[in-house]
Amino acid sequence: MRILHTSDWHIGRTLNEKSLIEDQKVMIDNLLRWIEENRPDALVVAGDVYDRSVPSREALAVVDDFLSAVVLEMKIPVFFIGGNHDGRERLAVNGGILNRQGLHIVGNYAPGLEPVILQDQWGEVCFWSLPFIKPVEYRSLTAAEKSPSYDLMYREMIAEITGRMDASKRNVLMSHGLILGGALDSDTIDDSVRPIEIGGIEYACAEDFEAFDYVALGHLHRPQKVLWDKVRYAGSLLKYSFSEHNQKKSVTLVELGQKGDLSHEQIWFKPLRDLRVIKGKMEDLTTLTAYEAPGREDYLKVVLEDEERLITPMDKLRKVYPNVLEMEYAKREKTEAQKNSSRIKERIKEPLGLFEDFYAFACGKAIPEDEKEVIAELFQEITEVQE
Amino acid sequence: MKPLKLTMHHFGPFTDETIDFTKLDKELFLITGATGSGKTTIFDGLCYALYGEASNTHRQSREMKSQFGDPFDMMWVDFTFGLRDRVYRVKRIPEQERKKERGEGTAKQKHEAELYDCTDGGEVLLSSSVAGVGEKVVDIMGINANQFRQIVMLPQGEFSKLLKAKEEERIELLKSIFRMELYNTLKEKVSTALKDIRKKREALKIELDTEAGHIRCGECGELAAVLANNSHTTDYVLALMHKEIEADYTEIKTLEKSENQTAAVLEGLRITLAAGEQLNSQFEQLDKQKEKRLGLEAQKIEMTQKEERLSLSKKIKTIKPYKESWQHQKSKLEQAKKALEETKNRRDKILTDLKKSEAEYHRVMAPEYDREIETLSHKLETQKRLAEGLGAYTLKSQALAKAQISRADLEKKAERKELDEAALKKLGQDQTAVERDLLTLDKTLQSTGFAIQTLEGRQEKAEEALEIYQDIEGWQKEIVGLRAEWKILQTKIKDRQDEYEQLLAKQRTQAAAGLAKTLTDKTPCPVCGSLHHPQKAILKTDEAVSEDVLKALSKSLKTLEETSAKTKERGKYLSESIEKSRKDFKRRLEGAITTAQDTAEIDSVALKALDQQIEEEIEILQTKAKNTDKQLKAKTKEKTSIAKVMAELEKQLEAYGNLSEPLKALREEESMLRGQTLQMRETLETLIAAVGFGEGLDKADWLLKKINSFNTNTAALIQEKKGYKNNTQSQYQKLKQTGAEVGADFKNETDSLTKAEKEAETLGSQFQEVLKAAGLTEESIKAFSLQAGETEESLEAGIEAYRFDLKSTIQRIDELSHGLKDKKPSDLAAYREQAQQHSQTIEAIQKRVTLLNEKIGQNQKQIKKIQALLEALEAVEQLQGIYTHLDQTIKGTLAGRPKISFERYILSAYLQDILESANIFLEKMSSGRYRLEVMGNFSQTGNRGLEIEVVDAYTGQRRSANTLSGGETFMAALSMALGLSDIVQSYAGGISLDTIFIDEGFATLDPEALDNAINCLSAIKNDGRTVGIISHVEELKDRIDTKILVKKTEAGSHIQIFE
């Protein structure tokens, strides 16, 4: 059985107020064309199909057109699970009807959910859905007294599934969440996943996933394996933040043979525009030759290395690079105020660190542990709500 | 956002004005006009179209309605703009009063808005709801109305807010531009959490008090006092409680000891009491048994009677069956007698019925009865036949009537057809006549045309001849004139020639004289070379001939000769022309005249007459032709109408088809039907007479109805007669049979009665024998009966029980009397009293112990509770400390520290960034004099992090931005707006701020500053940004070529574009 694994489409996303829908349409078209030519047996989208819980009409239309072609015309079963960006209740509206057409959507986690079973020449393949869930939600679902840790929650949920699954059959798990092989490496996480860094990031360990034949993960935007080859993040459809500018985006084609047989392959598509970071002086960046340079229309973050600030730098840059989305000057602080200001701006996406700085400034000493804990917890709460 | 086109309808001072911004080919343009002409309204229009709000927050959209024109004409704004590579159009109708669509009065127009994408020429509707358009505009612009006013459209007096406003307002402005939700939420969260913690602490304290209130203590003692006064710490109270519990335990121990002692005494008393009570009860028993025995003995007589009744009852029971079987037999006999009687009565009745039935049977079996039925059947048959006949006859008559009508119709049709045929024939003749006429008329017309053509040819020739004739006449006259002229000329020439000759001679003489004059002797003559001049010619003065005169004369002579030659030549030419024209004339004339007239005699008068005559002839002929043509047309029309009528007739005739065949068939059918009807009539009349209803065939319907009703009756009568016969027959047979059966029954019953009588007698005597043997009579049996409620069994049981009771009572009395020999009852009251007292003592002790245990239990519980509460309180207080500190830190209210909140701390970084970008502009505009900086000294009183200072490079002083003059403020504010737009775009590249509008402020600038400002704006413009300025400053008008001029008139303002 050939399963195409993808995730984190984030349809309807904007980057620095620029709508990326055009780029997404091209990518979805690429994907559709590939599916049409290669006819996989199933398509898995492991969460964050949409960027917002209430997607725009345009975003809905993009996904709708795609699904109509894949599910209704090509008759390829499709699996959707809820991600942290999706309106998880909304996503699964009319799920019963769609199910019969071969579109299997699980928006919210529900214990005891039966797997969807597909057949191939080697027998049955069971698809288990484990959408995004927060420990608080899990607590209210299980009526436990206290929210468990993220890791414990995942262990319980996995045990609930492995406890009733037939290990002689092939089992595929689809999940959206932060699953890591070992300790947290902050390079793993990119800005899109976690727009704001909070004190301790909660994640689950992949150890218990060994019972499955394949685990299709979503959430992290960089395609990667976790512990084993059979536990993988497909990565996002496009580069969704400048911190991802070095990542190569792909979708993963998984081939399940007899029980225990697995091979996989990355498939790359060319995006409408790349997303890059360029550096240099204004004069050098906007010479005549710059007009001929490839990728002039890419989405860019420009780091200007001019010593002095310039008049209307964005207007100047846009003449050459119509899609500049961000601009900053390379470090060049002179005064104390400038140093402070650039430090603050640097840490603006890292609220806890910013607060630590502020605390030191306001109180004249470093923040004690107990106060730091309180602030970290509050930021966590706030971002959870905002997500 | 690049403005492309703005239309304002009844908006502000404009009734209907459109600005085509694409006509402004310069990136920098000026909007100018008199005060109050509506310059700012253009900004309002732009801003309103986009956001539904005016450019200035003080202006209300409702107040924008035009004062000019019809107050109820709809106000609207329509704005097209480009954004990046797309083109959008937005139209807004503000809320306003408008005329009702129907009827009088006004209605409220709701706020309406529409947004289109017009990038590809067409219009794609993006949204048509106010909310939807609002959202979509913010979405595509990337900024909201507030931000728009801060960055893009800088309104009069408002954009300096960021610079000069109070700190709070500045915060609001910065917050509206940079996202601060996370940090605001943090502030609120801490604040809310702190409030919650405080509440929790209060609640805990109250709970602690409540729990302290539940402590139980003795009425006096330290604990009671402490609790009453609430005077000591909770820990001290807890210690006292432990003491109290200790004391309570000691008391319990003492009490328990005393209880045990009392209980032992009580036990001894109880044993004594039990023995005494047993003896007393045995004495009581004995008395009771004796009493019982007396009662039983009194019942003895009653028992004897019961025994007798029992024995009698048993005897009667043995006799009873005999009596019963006898009585049974007797009642059977009675029944048999009754049955026999009934059978006899039945037999008699049947015999009577049979006799009657026999007579009736003979009547119906007689032949007369059958004959009657036959007569009726016959009648029925006749009537049926008549009814059928009548039915058939009616149908036939109807068919006949129908056939007659069809035939008549067809005949009429045939008549019409004949008429039509005749008409067609007549029309055919008419058509031929008309065609003939047409031919004649056509010929006439043709010949007339031909004649006219001939005449016209002639006329033309005559006219030409006349023309030629007139030419010839003219030429002839000219020749006569020329001849006379020539003669005169000849004379003149001759005279002149003579004169010339004379003058020439004179001259010759003169010349000689001239020569001679110069001649001196011995000088050779230049003419002849003679050295000798004998006769020198002498010049006479009067004879002196001037060379000029001679020359003039010669010239005149030459002219005359030339004129003469020309005259001669002309005469010759004319003669030739006449000769040529004469030939032409003759040719024309021959064509013009018809009769053999001598052409020579004809002159111009005659020619004119001829022309006139021909003209008249033509006119006559043309009139004729016109008439003929008219006739021709009339005939043609007639022909067409005839053809039409004929076509219609032919169609009609065709529609008739062949009529004679069907007519013949119809006639045959009719006569056949008539014959059939007549034949039927005869038959039917005979039948009618036979039936005799009195009416004839002409009332067939009435007859039919009558017959039908009679038939029904007759048939019923026949049926009835036949049925009656059958019934009578079968009834007679049945009666005969029943009679035989009843006879047999009667005989059988008589036999069995005799037998029953014998049986009864035997049974009677048997009964009497048994009665006698038992010594009873029938009367004594009748008299005996058991008493109410008695049965043999109950009697037996009663007697048995009585005997047993009596026996056992006597036995019990013996036993008791034996045991109590020599004994007496004892007195127990004193013991009892003692025992009760001891019990009460024990009870009191137990109560007290329970009470103490409860108290200890509760106090222990309270100690636990209070301790837990104390712990909780401690934890909450610790948390409160943390949150209070965090709250103060975030809000910037820590004592002795800079008064800078977290929010301000972050915003100050943004402000710093903005100011740095703004400074590039400000330094340029102020010729390097001013810079803006965030006030750096945070410990300074009143500095809350967002104070802006101006650094003056000339003086090296720093001062508050509020101290800037009007012009300086304008420069600084403009710089900040520009700096802000740079910063916003570099943070969010999706926002494209390629336009800036500035409303006034330039008046405050001195010439140098104005220069600098304009240079600055020009530099921006060169980077591709559109800059629009509203101003009435004269210098600007000179410096900026591209202008939008707003002209104020009495009927509203008008807009003109100058480039």
Side-chain angles (χ1 to χ4, degrees), chain A residues 14-18 52 57-58 196 309-316 318-319 322-329 332 335 337-338 340-345 347-351 354-355 357-365 367-368 370-372 374-375 377-379 381-383 385-386, chain B residues 84 126 136 139 142 179 181-183 185-186 189-190 193 878-879 881-883 885-886 889-892 894 897-898 900-903 905-906 908-910 912-914 916-917 920-921 924 931 933-934 938 982-983 985-994 1016 1019-1020 1022-1025:
Chain A
T14 59
L15 178 56
N16 286 0
E17 310 294 334
K18 166 74 184 162
R52 293 179 197 172
R57 257 185 294 171
E58 205 176 2
I196 288 151
R309 287 207 178 198
L310 302 164
I311 288 185
T312 56
M314 285 296 273
D315 292 356
K316 288 186 171 81
R318 279 206 191 106
K319 283 185 180 170
N323 292 313
V324 180
L325 291 185
E326 204 171 317
M327 182 227 91
E328 64 180 38
Y329 290 97
R332 28 148 236 119
T335 65
Q338 283 173 346
N340 283 340
S341 144
S342 71
R343 167 99 177 159
I344 292 171
K345 282 189 290 174
R347 305 198 85 165
I348 208 85
K349 285 183 175 172
E350 198 190 319
L354 185 61
F355 189 80
D357 278 359
F358 168 69
Y359 191 94
F361 158 78
C363 303
K365 57 173 184 184
I367 188 167
D370 51 359
E371 294 192 24
K372 190 175 165 183
V374 167
I375 291 294
E377 211 169 284
L378 289 175
F379 273 133
E381 269 175 39
I382 295 166
T383 44
V385 171
Q386 281 180 350
Chain B
R84 273 174 242 109
L126 296 178
K136 196 77 196 168
D139 199 36
R179 287 191 179 152
E181 289 93 340
L182 177 67
Y183 304 101
T185 320
L186 178 73
K189 279 233 163 196
V190 171
Q878 200 188 341
L879 210 56
I882 292 173
Y883 272 96
H885 191 249
L886 283 175
T889 310
I890 290 170
K891 286 181 181 159
L894 280 176
R897 300 295 315 166
I900 291 169
S901 65
F902 191 27
E903 184 177 77
Y905 177 76
I906 297 162
S908 77
Y910 286 123
Q912 172 75 30
D913 219 9
I914 293 166
E916 271 177 55
S917 282
I920 318 167
F921 297 102
K924 275 201 177 156
R931 288 177 52 77
E933 277 180 15
V934 178
F938 287 150
D982 279 357
I983 294 300
Q985 291 189 83
S986 61
Y987 276 69
I991 299 174
S992 181
L993 301 171
D994 42 12
C1016 219
I1020 296 174
N1022 289 339
D1023 283 332
R1025 202 176 301 187

Side-chain angles (χ1 to χ4, degrees), chain B residues 909-1018:
Chain B
Y910 286 123
L911 186 59
Q912 172 75 30
D913 219 9
I914 293 166
L915 292 186
E916 271 177 55
S917 282
N919 281 336
I920 318 167
F921 297 102
L922 182 57
E923 281 177 359
K924 275 201 177 156
M925 276 194 247
S926 66
S927 310
R929 180 170 179 183
Y930 295 119
R931 288 177 52 77
L932 296 171
E933 277 180 15
V934 178
M935 195 193 273
N937 186 359
F938 287 150
S939 47
Q940 191 177 322
T941 328
N943 185 357
R944 302 186 60 201
L946 294 176
E947 287 300 324
I948 297 174
E949 278 182 330
V950 186
V951 182
D952 188 338
Y954 289 9
T955 61
Q957 300 259 310
R958 308 169 78 92
R959 54 190 168 104
S960 163
N962 285 320
T963 61
L964 287 172
S965 74
E968 290 161 348
T969 304
F970 174 71
M971 286 193 291
L974 182 55
S975 304
M976 277 190 76
L978 294 169
L980 187 58
S981 107
D982 279 357
I983 294 300
V984 166
Q985 291 189 83
S986 61
Y987 276 69
I991 299 174
S992 181
L993 301 171
D994 42 12
T995 300
I996 186 163
F997 292 103
I998 305 153
D999 190 358
E1000 286 297 356
F1002 291 91
T1004 54
L1005 299 179
D1006 60 45
E1008 197 196 339
L1010 188 63
D1011 252 6
N1012 290 337
I1014 297 297
N1015 286 340
C1016 219
L1017 292 175
S1018 299

Side-chain angles (χ1 to χ4, degrees), chain B residues 406-422 652-653 656-664 666-667:
Chain B
S406 302
R407 190 248 310 143
D409 280 353
L410 205 59
E411 274 170 358
K412 259 185 215 157
K413 209 173 173 186
E415 260 168 50
R416 273 208 303 281
K417 187 183 175 189
E418 252 166 58
L419 283 175
D420 285 347
E421 275 167 349
Q652 182 71 35
L653 282 169
Y656 285 136
N658 187 1
L659 290 177
S660 60
E661 285 296 317
L663 193 59
K664 197 176 156 198
L666 270 175
R667 278 183 185 138

Side-chain angles (χ1 to χ4, degrees), chain A residues 278-294:
Chain A
I278 58 172
K279 286 180 188 178
K281 289 195 174 180
M282 177 68 86
E283 209 183 325
D284 302 332
L285 290 174
T286 55
T287 52
L288 275 177
T289 50
Y291 282 92
E292 265 113 60

Side-chain angles (χ1 to χ4, degrees), chain B residues 169-180:
Chain B
E169 285 184 50
R170 196 173 300 143
I171 290 179
E172 284 313 309
L173 289 174
L174 287 171
K175 268 161 67 178
S176 77
I177 293 161
F178 301 104
R179 287 191 179 152
M180 293 294 293

